[in-house]
Amino acid sequence: MRHSDPTADDITTLIETQMHLEGPLLPIFHAIQDACGFVPESALPLIAGRLNLTVAEVHGVMSFYHDFRKTPAGKLVVRICRAEACQSMGGSALSAAVLDKLGLDWGDTTADGAVTVEAVYCLGLCACAPAAMVGDTLIARANVPRLERAMEGAA
Amino acid sequence: MDSAARALGAEDVVAAIRAEAARRGVTVDIARNGSRGMIWLEPLVEVETDAGRIGYGPMDAGGVAAIFDGGPSLGLVEDLDWMKRQTRLTFQRCGVIDPLSLPEYEAHGGLAGLRRAIGMDQDAIIDEVKLSGLRGRGGAGFPTGIKWDTVRLARADRKYIVCNADEGDSGTFADRMIMEGDPFCLIEGMAIAGIGCGAVQGYIYTRSEYPDAVAVMRRAIAIARKAGVIGPDVMGSGRAFELEVRVGAGAYVCGEETSLLNSLEGKRGVVRAKPPLPALEGAFGRPTVVNNVISLATVPVIFEKGAACYADFGLGRSKGTIPLQIAGNVARGGLFETAFGMPLGEIVQDLAGGTATGRPVKAVQVGGPLGAYLGVDQFDTPFGYEEFSGQDALIGHAGLVVFDDTADMPGMARFAMEFCAMESCGKCTPCRIGAVRGVETLDRIAAGDGAAVALLTDLCETMTDGSLCALGGLTPYPVMSALRLFPEEFGAMKGAAE
């Protein structure tokens, strides 16, 4: 991920990579976010123009989905599962401890831009809960020391 | 390469085995397979011997040397109690083969079903599915053959097979395991559906939370296309079937089929009113089969072994097998495929071995965040669609989340409402507003306002009767079941809850 503001040409190129698909809007958002780390506001009129939609419609679709970001996340994204199976194994205490340690609320990023902590609702690791994801790494039977080690390793 | 095994350190174990082999000058052939479903034994290492595969687990890097030294093992994996007691049909290959080896897939019965289907007329294909008694494994339990027949008979220039792989329910991971552990099985099932219904395009709509499954599925599709299993000429039949993976974007409601279709089309994942049924007006306005991963992945074995063989398993109108996903606070968690009918208590106490914490079981939530909590006095309920309906519960996607006696039931009820409020698509008022009011009402009850219990009950009835889809319609299940089972925790008189 580049985490930099892409140019209009970059965005247009990314849009074109998905135009052969039926219903290309979500794949376009994913392609832009994968490349840039977020979907900049400047992309919306370009997408709208290409798909013959209004900017409001494109904004409406993007804002419906939790995944798509309007601004870049921290360098490292930590996602902790809040769903029932993880709650049954102390997931709430785990996330409270991590958030407290970093002085964050859900969705916030540390002041130095290093870490964003997000809630996630099920990673499919329910038989080895609680579960978390540090960057691209899945962690089962998570606890504070294991998450801290993973965060140090990824930093 | 199952992501649960990886999350428990499988990559470190593989690296350690390579290092240890190099140190000893031994040649080892390391195959990466999916999971057998014994998650409590993951990372599980299996060593191929003349007698069969010997298991070692749960393994960590430090334990690897003992495998080379012939240290204590679990014995033959197939002989483990958990394996021996199962009826593995849908998951027959999962954890056994290299998920991306088409030759191994074929050597273990793969493609036999598709070959048979190619030689059959469309109505014979549909009849086979009807005869098998297969019902939608996503939760609704609708007969799969009838859905297929509706699509087959619909007139249109283009039809679709859409696989609902948006497995967002907590406590479920069967879809993920199939996609990571036996992806060709899903591809084969979708190809049979395509040929049976006359659809030439399939989509697998899955979750961004499942990056490993997405990657494996995409690689498997590319391999299958190259081998002619899908593509313009499916296995030389002259019939075309194309397949593509689409990834969602963190919206739970997109697991609802009409919301999924809108999302697939590039719209907000808002629920559609039915009718029109997706079978007549689904993806891009065309007739569409929307089936769960497990429903579609069960189709190949039905065609391989015959519908009658499949229908022989089960209980009443719940035919065949169901992959139970045992999760949460359990000593032994994982996936266990068995004929319908096993009592809930046997699953929780016997198979799962009770709680991981060793404390008494308090409640089991069956069927995900929209499923009811069942108490220990309901443990004799046999696992089946109708049997659970009779308990004001549902089996859903067959996920079971076990809680010990420390569980805060009003807290869980509040979470159910909070989750519904967060994930509501906003289309209908009972869900959009009702869930918010539900959180507020539960907060009033928590603050000691016993009179609010009647209000909550009334609100839940409105949500059940008035919501457009299962999200608003079933959120009252966990809320009301928690209230019915543990009224004292809600500060309510027992009478007020009933």
Side-chain angles (χ1 to χ4, degrees), chain B residues 369-496:
Chain B
L370 308 176
Y373 290 95
L374 287 102
V376 177
D377 57 359
Q378 290 164 291
F379 269 15
D380 55 356
T381 311
F383 209 87
Y385 294 104
E386 280 71 28
E387 291 71 16
F388 267 60
S389 298
Q391 295 288 322
D392 263 337
L394 48 91
I395 64 172
H397 192 43
L400 299 96
V401 177
V402 178
F403 291 82
D404 73 9
D405 63 350
T406 62
D408 162 21
M409 297 314 288
M412 297 314 296
R414 187 187 190 281
F415 177 79
M417 284 290 188
E418 187 191 347
F419 186 68
C420 180
M422 208 156 35
E423 297 299 329
S424 175
C425 81
K427 173 111 171 177
C428 70
T429 316
C431 173
R432 184 183 69 245
I433 310 272
V436 177
R437 294 286 175 260
V439 172
E440 292 165 3
T441 312
L442 280 156
D443 284 343
R444 277 173 60 182
I445 294 170
D449 181 358
V453 170
L455 204 58
L456 180 70
T457 307
D458 187 55
L459 174 68
C460 282
E461 278 171 21
T462 305
M463 288 177 72
T464 302
D465 296 339
S467 296
L468 202 51
C469 84
L471 179 53
L474 297 181
T475 292
Y477 266 52
V479 176
M480 291 309 294
S481 59
L483 181 59
R484 267 197 314 271
L485 285 174
F486 306 101
E488 64 289 351
E489 289 186 35
F490 290 80
M493 300 298 289
K494 216 175 165 95

Side-chain angles (χ1 to χ4, degrees), chain A residues 75-79 133-138 150-151 154:
Chain A
K75 268 166 89 172
L76 181 67
V77 178
V78 177
R79 307 171 89 188
M133 202 170 179
V134 175
D136 294 330
T137 307
L138 288 167
M151 284 161 67

Side-chain angles (χ1 to χ4, degrees), chain B residues 125-186:
Chain B
I125 292 177
I126 307 284
D127 282 347
E128 188 78 0
V129 178
K130 282 184 182 167
L131 199 66
S132 74
L134 180 65
R135 293 168 69 177
R137 296 286 188 255
F142 188 81
T144 305
I146 292 177
K147 192 184 276 187
W148 286 21
D149 211 14
T150 311
V151 174
R152 177 179 74 96
L153 294 171
R155 298 233 168 274
D157 58 337
R158 194 169 161 84
K159 298 175 185 177
Y160 295 95
I161 308 296
V162 172
C163 171
N164 184 346
D166 199 51
E167 183 180 51
D169 288 353
S170 178
T172 63
F173 44 85
D175 298 356
R176 177 184 66 66
M177 274 183 57
I178 277 287
M179 290 191 283
E180 293 174 359
D182 194 11
F184 294 125
C185 182
L186 177 56

Side-chain angles (χ1 to χ4, degrees), chain B residues 217-481:
Chain B
M217 220 49 247
R218 285 192 167 143
R219 285 170 66 193
I221 288 172
I223 292 166
R225 187 179 294 129
K226 210 171 159 202
V229 173
I230 54 170
D233 180 20
V234 173
M235 314 251 312
S237 65
R239 285 182 269 196
F241 188 70
E242 266 304 332
L243 199 48
E244 191 187 321
V245 176
R246 284 295 173 90
V247 182
Y252 173 77
V253 75
C254 288
E256 196 284 331
E257 61 176 359
T258 61
S259 159
L260 184 156
L261 292 170
N262 274 336
S263 183
L264 181 66
E265 292 178 14
K267 299 173 183 157
R268 288 167 68 87
V270 173
V271 173
R272 299 175 184 171
K274 289 191 274 194
L277 293 172
L280 296 172
E281 238 176 90
F284 308 99
R286 310 299 211 303
T288 304
V289 168
V290 186
N291 277 156
N292 175 257
V293 173
I294 301 304
S295 313
L296 288 163
T298 300
V299 169
V301 73
I302 290 171
F303 281 80
E304 179 198 343
K305 297 196 194 300
C309 170
Y310 187 78
D312 272 349
F313 296 99
L315 165 84
R317 297 206 289 122
S318 304
K319 300 226 183 281
T321 59
I322 181 88
L324 303 170
Q325 298 133 80
I326 306 166
N329 195 335
V330 281
R332 293 187 292 271
L335 181 135
F336 187 94
E337 183 176 351
T338 183
F340 282 97
M342 189 181 265
L344 179 60
E346 188 182 340
I347 298 167
V348 173
Q349 303 290 22
D350 185 24
L351 281 180
T355 63
T357 46
R359 302 184 66 95
V361 173
K362 181 171 188 174
V364 186
Q365 187 178 26
V366 183
L370 308 176
Y373 290 95
L374 287 102
V376 177
D377 57 359
Q378 290 164 291
F379 269 15
D380 55 356
T381 311
F383 209 87
Y385 294 104
E386 280 71 28
E387 291 71 16
F388 267 60
S389 298
Q391 295 288 322
D392 263 337
L394 48 91
I395 64 172
H397 192 43
L400 299 96
V401 177
V402 178
F403 291 82
D404 73 9
D405 63 350
T406 62
D408 162 21
M409 297 314 288
M412 297 314 296
R414 187 187 190 281
F415 177 79
M417 284 290 188
E418 187 191 347
F419 186 68
C420 180
M422 208 156 35
E423 297 299 329
S424 175
C425 81
K427 173 111 171 177
C428 70
T429 316
C431 173
R432 184 183 69 245
I433 310 272
V436 177
R437 294 286 175 260
V439 172
E440 292 165 3
T441 312
L442 280 156
D443 284 343
R444 277 173 60 182
I445 294 170
D449 181 358
V453 170
L455 204 58
L456 180 70
T457 307
D458 187 55
L459 174 68
C460 282
E461 278 171 21
T462 305
M463 288 177 72
T464 302
D465 296 339
S467 296
L468 202 51
C469 84
L471 179 53
L474 297 181
T475 292
Y477 266 52
V479 176
M480 291 309 294
S481 59

